[in-house]
Amino acid sequence: MSHPPFSPAHARAARLRIGLTPEQVVAAMAQLGVRRAAQAVMSWEAGVVAPSEVELFALADALWCPVPELMALQPRSLREHRLARGFSADRLAQRIGMDGHAYARAESEHRWTGSDRQTLFLADALGLEPADLLGVIGRAGELDDLLRQAVEGRWKQYTTPLARLVGAPERTVAQALRTLHQEYAAFNERYMGHLVARSDTARLKEIATERAEWLRALSDRFLDLVGPGASPSP
């Protein structure tokens, strides 16, 4: 397996912030069962080599900082979310009741195959919000497509598929879709109103830009309306 994402600069800054020498860092890591020479810490901070997953977890503990700080990124993939929570692949697979090989394959192929129950356990273990979970299991694009079709057409027919996708009650989803459909229609009415009134081009472009920005944030807006109870299904 490839080395995890790692920022030498952030690791060095974290060490200096608490005033530890490389020797003291490896001594703290040794107490966690990960024995390395002080040269290893210097090599990581110099960017010569990146730590392994086990080394990354031990280093974060030794430096009293969250793993994501040493990764210096916002977790997006399944593996990145797992690392951010300090899970080894085997431990997470066991936690969610999934075969280790099946989980490893899902991570490497970026294709989630877990059951509904395993997906719920995954979201709980990694602390994933619905939007993040949809991205991790590869269904964010499906949500975007369905919502776009719903607001541009007859939204009622999309209530059931969207309710199943995000794991929310159909009544809640219907209310959210009605609101979104009305908001989208308002953009069109404003645009057509200014078009008929022969407003200047700049005003029409302004409305079109607002609508484009609203569409880009459509999934987030929908999930906010549906509420925290949503839990995407695989």
Side-chain angles (χ1 to χ4, degrees):
M1 181 176 289
S2 62
H3 287 282
F6 180 72
S7 170
H10 283 74
R12 176 176 171 77
R15 177 174 65 79
L16 295 178
R17 186 169 60 242
I18 59 176
L20 294 182
T21 64
E23 290 76 14
Q24 291 172 320
V25 172
V26 295
M29 291 175 63
Q31 294 180 358
L32 300 169
V34 180
R35 303 182 184 281
R36 300 292 185 271
Q39 182 60 42
V41 174
M42 292 185 278
S43 294
W44 297 334
E45 291 184 0
V48 175
V49 66
S52 65
E53 290 188 9
V54 172
E55 291 167 338
L56 176 65
F57 296 154
L59 180 62
D61 280 339
L63 297 178
W64 289 77
C65 72
V67 173
E69 181 177 333
L70 299 184
M71 294 167 63
L73 53 73
Q74 181 65 35
R76 294 184 180 278
S77 68
L78 176 56
R79 186 190 185 205
E80 290 170 355
H81 278 287
R82 170 177 64 78
L83 291 170
R85 286 285 174 161
F87 282 105
S88 67
D90 288 340
R91 183 176 164 221
L92 180 58
Q94 184 178 28
R95 171 80 174 265
I96 66 177
M98 192 172 186
D99 174 74
H101 294 296
Y103 175 82
R105 189 163 54 251
E107 222 179 66
S108 64
E109 296 179 358
H110 303 286
R111 186 172 62 87
W112 182 247
T113 57
S115 65
D116 287 2
R117 183 179 178 84
Q118 290 164 343
T119 303
L120 289 173
F121 285 157
L122 180 74
D124 179 66
L126 300 183
L128 296 173
E129 295 296 327
D132 293 324
L133 182 56
L134 281 169
V136 164
I137 66 177
R139 302 195 70 176
E142 184 177 349
L143 176 63
D144 292 338
D145 290 343
L146 286 173
L147 286 173
R148 184 68 178 258
Q149 294 172 51
V151 298
E152 292 179 345
R154 298 179 180 277
W155 62 264
K156 290 183 179 180
Q157 69 188 73
Y158 295 95
T159 300
T160 298
L162 280 166
R164 294 191 61 179
L165 180 60
V166 300
E170 289 196 14
R171 182 176 179 179
T172 302
V173 170
Q175 292 173 340
L177 290 180
R178 181 184 294 107
T179 298
L180 294 175
H181 192 270
Q182 291 171 346
E183 291 176 358
Y184 184 74
F187 279 116
N188 291 336
E189 289 172 7
R190 286 171 56 202
Y191 188 88
M192 292 305 298
H194 283 282
L195 185 63
V196 171
R198 297 184 178 180
S199 299
D200 59 78
T201 303
R203 181 54 181 153
L204 292 174
K205 287 184 177 179
E206 181 182 329
I207 297 173
T209 299
E210 289 178 12
R211 183 178 67 174
E213 292 176 351
W214 183 86
L215 285 170
R216 279 194 291 272
L218 183 56
S219 293
D220 290 338
R221 173 77 172 128
F222 171 71
L223 291 171
D224 284 342
L225 289 172
V226 169
S231 180
S233 62

